[in-house]
Each structure stands twice: as C-alpha cells, then as structure tokens.
C-alpha cells in the first residue's frame, strides 16, 4: 500500500501523476476488500466505485467542490481517501464511523444519505446556493441506475434542466444492479437501445461496454427517432448535456471526460458504466450475495451459515407463500427489496402476483390502493424506514378510503449497524394517529405469523411491524390462524407493578419482572388497544409501565396515557421507549442497553422512577 498510505486527504491524491492512479486503484480496491471482510458492510457496490471515486477527487477540488453520493453505500473508497482510512476498522460499530455519508463525520461528506434518489435534489440546492452567494464551485451528484427508478430523481432533473447557469454535474453510475434486480420501463428502454449493434456503431466512445438495465419508457414516436438510437435524447429533453456511456473503470477515459465537463456551464449528465464487485471474482459473480456481507475470509468467500435461526423476514416469506396458496386474490408488492423483505420464493412460485415497482415507495402504496379498489388483496412488504417516504399515500390513498391493504413492516425498531438512517423507530407514532389503521406488534415468530393472517383478514388497512433478525426461537405453526382484534394477554402475574410490553420488548420485560415481581402483559395491539386489560391492570396495581422499541413521543406508551386519561384513571405511568434523539449505529443489543431497554436497564429505571424497593413476596 505504498501509494495509499500516503493519501490522507484528496489534496494528496491530486499530487500524484496520472500514471500512478491505476496502481492506486489496485491498492484501494484491495484495502476495501480486506477492510470489509473484517468488519462486514457493503462490498459489491464499493468495489465498483474505486476508479470513479479516485477520478472525482482527482479532478474536482473537494471539499470546496461538492460531491453528493446517492444512497451512500458505495462511499467506502471516498471515506478512505478523505482522512478515514485509519478508522475503517470501526466501520458500522459502536462509536465508529458510519457506513453512509454523514455530515458531522467529515467535511467531505457534503450531504447525509442512506435512502435513495436524493442526490440530484441536494446537489442542485448546493449549486443554486453557490450561484446566489457568488461562489465559483461545482456540485456533483452520483446516482445509481437503481435509484433512477424513483420519481424524486426525475423531479430534480425536471427542475435542474431549466437552470442553464448552475454548475451541476449528474453522474449516472450504471452498474446494472440495485439491491434487487432493477425494474421498470426506463431500464428496459435503455437496455434495449444500448445493447444493439446500431447503438454501438452510432456512439464512438472508446471501449464498448454494455450499459444498464433501465427497461422501456418511450414508444417509437417519430419525433423521438433519435431516442431509439441512444439514451441521450431522454436526458437532453430535460435540459442536460448528455455524455456517455463511458467505462467507469477506465481512468484514462474518466479523467479527461471529467476535466472537460468541469469547464462547461449548465446542467451536465455523464453516464458511466461500472461493474459491482469489480476486481473480486466472487463478488462479480454474485453481487447480491456480496452486497452487504458480514465478516468473511476473502480467500474462501462467504460460506453457508450453519442452521441459522429463523428470522422474522423468513416467517413473513413463508406466510406470504402459504396465504397466496390459500387465497388467489393475494398480490405481493415490494419497492425494490425482494431479497431483504423475504419475497424470493414468492416471486418464484407466484410470478404473476409478484410486483417489484422499483425504488418507488409512494407508487407502491397507491398501486396497492388501486388493486384493493378492485377487490384484490395487496400485501406491501416494506421496511419501516422506507414507509416514511410514502406517508401521504398511506393517509390519503389507503386509510382515508379505508382500503384493504396489508403492510408488512420489516426492520422495525433499532437495526444495528445501519444506524439512524435505517432504524424503524417512528412507525408506531406515525401510524397510530391515522384513522382506520390496525397496528400489531408481534413478540415472537409464531405471533408474527398469526398477526399477518389477522391483518390480512381485517377489512381495512393493517400494519404488522416486526424487528430485524431472528426471534426468540418460538415454534411457528403451519396454520393460518388469527387472534382476536384488540386483545392483549397477561403473561406473568406479579404485585404492585404492571408492565405493558409491546412486541420485541416482551422478552426483556419478562426478565425484568423476575427481579421486580411485576406483572407483565403482552399488549399485542397498539391500535386498537386492549382497554379492558389496561383498566384491570390499573385497578390491581400501584404502578404502571409501558415499554416499546419505538420512539416514546407519540408511541404506544402515549396511547396508554391517553386511554388512562380518557377513562379518568389517575395512576402513575412510566413510559419506556427510545429517546428523542437519532440513535447511531452499533450492535442492536448495545444500543438497546444504552437506551435502558434491556432487562437490567428496565429494572433500574423502574426502581429509580417510582422510588420503590420491590419485594418478591
């Protein structure tokens, strides 16, 4: 690592000769592979952006020139070249550096990103700000082809294209791969055009590289004849000067092109083609498997895990297939998270009822609403953090019309290494204020299956939120059983203290109750609450405690407080949940302990808050 060890900031990189950049790229790629194999993290995407990252920092005067990375899981080379090489061993660990760009981590991280399709909007804002302030600097947005399936990217292009005097460069990093295979008409269109012999002959750009899927958006109209030869028309009609496609691993093509674009005024669009997993054959062959691996030996590759515990995601995937077999009206929808949401088997078994709509959460929800209007039974599998992006559609298009849509919310609560951007901390608060919503929180794997069935058979919008990873090891039945609406169950009878636990917090609540001799109720439903059970607990106990793996403000505990107030019950209530702050990355158990949501934390907080010494009699 003779070259890389001397690169502490991009200014050092810019002192190298062009001839030194290729060996630097080799060193950087080897460092990324070695680093991620020891910490876990995103691999395929980062191996694919090595040369592009070097070229950007070599040509542009960062951090004065702004680079905004879309999604951000391809920024490890960027982090290594911007002063964080020596901290890469702490990646995604407690008190370590983030796996995504983060503004308070480095001045080179110009915009915090982890959700997709925001880069063009943010970079345009920076470019307009430079114009208003009279500053001569450039703004660059690096966006992947998967992220181009989102409407927000095109909203930004539409806005930027009429601003002829801003220094904005959009780089489409086309690697033929989002997390799930990219979908949609745009992908098909560009794939067809750009793989044709006529296109290859028409565009003399050096090496011939097959560009991305981006599938069929324009029809064969006479005025768009040029667009049937090359994708330039599509972006030029937005007002951009289109260049490309060029090989994103060829520094001798990248650097002169970027240098030329730097001299041009107005919106520029550069199309580069890269390969996920570049330089590591195993990742090139299976970029999905190597998208976000844990620790592994690079020489051996990722080895099959020995009998892993059943995850909530697998519980959902199995249930989805079983329910689809039982009901021909079931339709499964995912916004580009087929693997992450456990829908691979469903797609294979029921391809005509499976819909990946791309990175388009808003469309996913309203698409489901349209299906529900025609008496089909849509199930939207979506991460809790991504449903936030479709909040208006959830309210206006589904709940307001009381449509029968089931939402399976994966990654609810803290998610560990992905940190604050991916944590599903807010779903209980933002869902329970919506009329007509049914909201359930399973405490184990079997209860998750039962709640999925309950929500599916409920004639209105229903949400089942479950955590990332494995459950407690409960045996999962094969039946498609339901549970009575709005009913909790008493799981432990104690004295004086009653703990009302929601979802994943039942297990630590039961552990804490052994020390406190407390009663514990598995509340199961956030909406409707089991008001009868709450009144019974209030009548028979001196102190009440609610606990949830979600934000305290406006969450399930707040719902209990409202219910007690409405019933005229004046009883001490302690609400335990996630604090009013964004919680950084780390192991989930570490983060829960920091928030006082493990068993010792629960015991300590209850004793301190109520100033009591519980007895075990």
């Amino acid at each position: 690592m003779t070259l890389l060890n001397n690169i502490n900031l991009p200014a050092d990189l810019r002192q190298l000769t062009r001839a030194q950049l290729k060996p630097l790229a080799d060193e950087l790629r080897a460092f990324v592979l070695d680093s991620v194999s020891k910490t876990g993290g995103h691999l395929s995407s980062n191996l694919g952006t090595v040369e592009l990252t070097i070229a950007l920092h070599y040509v542009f005067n960062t951090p004065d020139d702004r680079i905004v990375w879309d999604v951000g899981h391809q920024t490890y080379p960027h982090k290594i070249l911007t002063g964080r090489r020596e901290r890469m061993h702490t990646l995604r660990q407690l008190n370590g550096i983030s796996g995504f760009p983060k503004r308070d981590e480095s001045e080179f991280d110009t915009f915090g990103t982890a959700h997709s399709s925001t880069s063009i909007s943010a970079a345009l804002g920076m470019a307009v700000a430079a114009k208003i302030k009279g500053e001569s600097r450039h703004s660059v947005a690096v966006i992947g082809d998967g992220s181009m399936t989102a409407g927000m990217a095109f909203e930004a292009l539409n806005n930027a294209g009429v601003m002829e005097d801003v220094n904005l460069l959009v780089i489409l990093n086309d690697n033929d791969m989002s997390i799930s295979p990219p979908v949609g008409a745009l992908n098909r269109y560009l794939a067809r055009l750009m793989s044709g012999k006529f296109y290859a002959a028409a565009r003399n750009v050096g090496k011939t590289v097959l560009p991305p899927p981006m599938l069929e958006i324009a029809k064969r109209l006479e005025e768009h004849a040029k667009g049937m030869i090359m994708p330039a028309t599509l972006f030029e009609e937005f007002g951009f000067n289109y260049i490309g496609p060029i090989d994103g691993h060829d520094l001798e093509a990248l650097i002169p092109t970027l240098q030329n674009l730097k001299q041009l005024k107005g919106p520029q669009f550069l199309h580069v083609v890269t390969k996920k997993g570049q330089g590591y054959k195993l990742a090139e062959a299976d970029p999905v498997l190597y998208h976000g691996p844990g620790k592994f030996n690079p020489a051996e590759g990722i080895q099959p895990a020995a009998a892993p515990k059943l995850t909530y995601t697998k519980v959902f995937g199995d249930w989805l297939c079983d329910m689809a077999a039982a009901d021909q009206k079931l339709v499964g929808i995912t916004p580009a998270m087929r693997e992450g949401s456990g829908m691979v088997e469903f797609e294979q078994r029921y391809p005509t009822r499976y819909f990946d709509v791309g990175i388009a959460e808003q469309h996913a929800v309203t698409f489901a609403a349209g299906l529900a209007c025609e008496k089909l039974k849509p199930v939207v599998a979506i991460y809790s953090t991504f449903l936030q992006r479709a909040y208006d559609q959830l309210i206006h298009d589904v709940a307001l019309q009381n449509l029968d849509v089931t939402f399976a919310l994966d990654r609810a609560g803290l998610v560990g290494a992905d940190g604050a951007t991916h944590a599903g901390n807010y779903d209980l608060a933002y869902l329970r204020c919506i009329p007509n919503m049914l909201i359930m929180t399973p405490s184990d794997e079997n209860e998750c299956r039962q709640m999925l069935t309950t929500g599916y058979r409920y004639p209105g919008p229903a949400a089942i939120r479950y955590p990332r990873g494995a459950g407690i090891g409960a045996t999962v039945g094969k039946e498609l059983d339901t549970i009575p609406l709005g009913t909790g169950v008493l799981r432990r009878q104690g004295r004086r203290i009653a703990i009302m636990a929601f979802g994943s917090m039942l297990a630590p609540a039961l552990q804490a109750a052994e020390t406190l001799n407390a009663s514990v109720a598995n509340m199961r439903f956030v909406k409707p609450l089991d008001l009868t059970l709450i009144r019974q607990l209030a009548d028979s106990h001196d102190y009440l405690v609610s606990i949830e793996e979600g934000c305290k403000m406006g969450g399930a505990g707040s719902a209990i407080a409202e219910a007690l107030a409405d019933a005229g019950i004046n009883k001490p209530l302690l609400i335990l949940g996630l604090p009013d702050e964004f919680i950084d990355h780390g192991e989930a158990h570490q983060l829960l302990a920091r928030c006082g949501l493990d068993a010792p934390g629960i015991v300590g907080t209850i004793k301190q808050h109520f100033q009591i010494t519980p007895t075990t009699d």
Side-chain angles (χ1 to χ4, degrees):
M1 300 292 174
T2 55
L3 289 170
L4 185 60
N5 286 339
N6 292 319
I7 306 297
N8 296 310
L9 290 172
D12 301 324
L13 169 66
R14 292 190 280 270
Q15 299 303 310
L16 299 181
T17 66
R18 288 265 293 274
Q20 292 175 298
L21 297 184
K22 177 60 172 68
L24 174 65
D26 294 337
E27 292 184 19
L28 181 55
R29 180 168 281 110
F31 187 93
V32 168
L33 176 59
D34 180 68
S35 178
V36 175
S37 73
K38 293 175 180 175
T39 63
H42 295 99
L43 181 61
S44 297
S45 53
N46 284 290
L47 293 176
T49 57
V50 168
E51 288 84 6
L52 179 58
T53 304
I54 289 173
L56 283 169
H57 284 296
Y58 191 75
V59 172
F60 289 96
N61 184 32
T62 55
D64 185 57
D65 289 330
R66 316 297 200 227
I67 301 176
V68 180
W69 298 90
D70 210 278
V71 181
H73 60 215
Q74 73 273 40
T75 54
Y76 297 0
H78 162 79
K79 287 176 180 281
I80 293 165
L81 295 176
T82 55
R84 286 165 280 182
R85 183 182 69 249
E86 299 300 325
R87 296 193 65 206
M88 286 297 290
H89 70 281
T90 71
L91 184 75
R92 292 159 46 96
Q93 299 174 41
L94 192 66
N95 300 322
I97 63 174
S98 172
F100 302 99
K102 195 173 181 183
R103 280 174 56 81
D104 62 6
E105 186 177 290
S106 170
E107 63 177 335
F108 292 91
D109 291 0
T110 60
F111 196 75
T113 52
H115 291 188
S116 84
S117 315
T118 62
S119 61
I120 304 175
S121 298
L124 176 61
M126 294 173 184
V128 170
K131 175 189 170 187
I132 292 172
K133 294 160 66 177
E135 297 173 351
S136 179
R137 55 179 167 80
H138 297 265
S139 295
V140 182
V142 184
I143 184 168
D145 54 296
S147 295
M148 286 296 293
T149 63
M152 185 175 176
F154 284 89
E155 293 173 16
L157 289 174
N158 184 58
N159 187 202
V162 298
M163 299 185 183
E164 299 178 356
D165 53 352
V166 295
N167 290 329
L168 175 68
L169 169 61
V170 175
I171 298 179
L172 173 59
N173 176 26
D174 177 358
N175 56 30
D176 196 9
M177 195 73 192
S178 50
I179 297 175
S180 294
V183 297
L186 182 60
N187 283 28
R188 183 177 300 145
Y189 169 57
L190 291 182
R192 189 186 71 222
L193 301 187
M194 292 156 50
S195 61
K197 292 181 180 178
F198 185 45
Y199 170 77
R203 297 289 286 180
N204 181 19
V205 290
K207 296 182 180 178
T208 299
V209 184
L210 284 184
M214 263 179 96
L215 311 167
E216 187 146 291
I217 200 170
K219 301 300 178 184
R220 187 181 287 267
L221 300 174
E222 224 173 283
E223 62 270 25
H224 285 188
K226 182 183 175 186
M228 300 311 294
I229 302 173
M230 61 189 75
T233 295
L234 178 65
F235 299 106
E236 286 176 349
E237 297 237 359
F238 275 106
F240 281 76
N241 175 42
Y242 174 91
I243 303 295
I246 66 173
D247 185 348
H249 299 299
D250 184 355
L251 286 164
E252 291 305 311
L254 276 174
I255 290 175
T257 302
L258 288 173
Q259 288 172 333
N260 290 337
L261 286 169
K262 189 177 179 182
Q263 306 306 314
L264 301 178
K265 298 295 183 182
Q268 308 295 321
F269 194 102
L270 174 62
H271 185 169
V272 304
V273 179
T274 62
K275 186 172 186 177
K276 272 197 171 183
Q278 174 76 10
Y280 182 49
K281 296 301 182 184
L282 295 175
E284 290 180 14
D286 194 344
V288 173
L289 178 64
Y290 287 85
H291 170 73
K295 300 176 183 179
F296 69 100
N297 183 338
E300 299 176 357
I302 298 173
Q303 301 300 307
K309 284 186 177 180
L310 186 66
T311 65
Y312 281 98
T313 302
K314 183 66 164 63
V315 170
F316 166 73
D318 292 345
W319 170 85
L320 189 66
C321 291
D322 293 344
M323 185 57 78
D327 187 351
Q328 297 297 312
K329 293 183 177 180
L330 183 147
V331 175
I333 301 168
T334 176
M337 295 302 294
R338 179 188 64 182
E339 289 80 11
S341 292
M343 298 183 73
V344 173
E345 184 179 353
F346 176 78
E347 183 200 16
Q348 294 169 349
R349 291 175 57 181
Y350 303 99
T352 62
R353 290 192 272 161
Y354 166 82
F355 296 92
D356 183 344
V357 301
I359 303 177
E361 293 85 0
Q362 294 172 300
H363 165 62
V365 173
T366 303
F367 173 55
L371 291 166
C373 285
E374 301 301 321
K375 308 304 181 185
L376 292 181
K377 298 275 289 181
V379 176
V380 180
I382 187 169
Y383 289 8
S384 170
T385 185
F386 296 145
L387 184 59
Q388 296 163 186
R389 310 187 84 185
Y391 194 53
D392 178 66
Q393 289 70 27
L394 179 63
I395 296 173
H396 184 274
D397 299 340
V398 175
L400 181 64
Q401 304 181 86
N402 200 25
L403 293 174
D404 190 3
V405 180
T406 302
F407 295 91
L409 304 187
D410 205 332
R411 271 65 165 179
L414 299 176
V415 293
D418 280 337
T421 56
H422 282 59
N425 297 355
Y426 311 107
D427 48 20
L428 296 182
Y430 71 66
L431 288 172
R432 77 173 193 87
C433 63
I434 303 175
N436 296 329
M437 287 295 306
L438 175 70
I439 308 169
M440 292 170 280
T441 59
S443 63
D444 63 39
E445 302 92 321
N446 192 53
E447 201 167 63
C448 183
R449 182 180 174 92
Q450 293 173 333
M451 287 182 177
L452 287 164
T453 304
T454 303
Y456 183 79
R457 291 182 174 158
Y458 174 73
I464 305 92
R465 58 103 69 175
Y466 44 91
R468 180 178 189 173
I472 63 173
T475 301
V476 180
K478 296 297 183 183
E479 301 78 14
L480 293 170
D481 294 334
T482 62
I483 56 179
L485 292 179
T487 61
V489 289
L490 188 66
R491 289 290 303 272
R492 186 186 191 279
Q493 182 64 60
R495 297 181 66 247
R496 299 189 71 196
I497 302 169
I499 303 175
M500 293 169 280
F502 292 87
S504 61
M505 289 293 98
L506 178 63
L510 287 169
Q511 296 174 35
E514 293 298 319
T515 301
L516 298 167
N517 191 22
S519 296
V520 179
N522 177 13
M523 297 303 294
R524 304 199 295 195
F525 289 83
V526 176
K527 190 175 184 179
L529 283 170
D530 189 338
L531 300 178
T532 300
L533 179 56
I534 292 173
R535 291 190 187 99
Q536 290 174 351
L537 294 173
D539 289 342
S540 57
H541 295 79
D542 298 327
Y543 306 102
L544 302 178
V545 180
S546 73
I547 181 168
E548 62 198 287
E549 192 178 341
C551 60
K552 286 172 58 176
M553 299 180 70
S558 295
I560 290 176
E562 293 162 10
L564 292 171
D566 289 344
I569 299 173
N570 185 15
K571 186 75 68 168
L573 170 66
L574 170 62
I575 299 175
L576 297 180
L578 299 175
D580 183 27
E581 61 188 57
F582 292 110
I583 299 169
D584 228 332
H585 49 271
E587 296 292 333
H589 67 90
Q590 296 173 320
L591 302 177
L592 287 170
R594 278 194 168 188
C595 296
L597 295 181
D598 60 350
I602 295 168
V603 171
T605 303
I606 290 175
K607 286 182 176 182
Q608 181 180 19
H609 182 81
F610 292 123
Q611 294 293 300
I612 56 174
T613 305
T615 62
T616 57
D617 58 2

